[in-house]
Amino acid sequence: MVKRLIQHGNSVALVIDKPIMELLNISNDTSFEISTDGKNLILSPQNGQNQQNDILNSLEKINKKYGKVLKRLGE
């Protein structure tokens, strides 16, 4: 199947057909991890565990960088 990018505001979008969405068990609310091997674009649906790990990693980075300031704001 060959697809083309379409203009979406100042960006471009790739439309995923409904049968493919059903096959992959994804919806409009599904988050994707986007990666590349240098030649191909790889979209991987995130499951709940991956999303939770990403959130925890982000919180850890925020606490490491802004922990002291956040603690002072909480006092």
Side-chain angles (χ1 to χ4, degrees):
M1 172 186 300
V2 176
K3 301 291 279 186
R4 290 184 178 258
L5 297 175
I6 61 169
Q7 188 71 38
H8 185 73
N10 290 334
S11 301
V12 292
L14 179 67
V15 177
I16 301 172
D17 298 326
K18 189 172 182 176
I20 294 173
M21 292 178 65
E22 290 172 351
L23 177 69
L24 297 174
N25 195 26
I26 59 175
S27 68
N28 294 349
D29 299 326
T30 303
S31 296
F32 289 89
E33 180 177 337
I34 301 172
S35 58
T36 182
D37 61 4
K39 187 174 181 179
N40 299 297
L41 181 65
I42 303 165
L43 297 174
S44 303
Q46 284 193 320
N47 59 28
Q49 185 62 36
N50 285 346
Q51 289 176 337
Q52 186 174 4
N53 287 341
D54 287 348
I55 290 170
L56 292 175
N57 288 338
S58 294
L59 287 173
E60 186 176 318
K61 288 178 187 177
I62 289 168
N63 281 331
K64 192 178 283 188
K65 188 171 183 176
Y66 300 109
K68 292 177 185 177
V69 173
L70 291 171
K71 188 172 184 177
R72 286 195 321 230
L73 284 172
E75 294 175 349

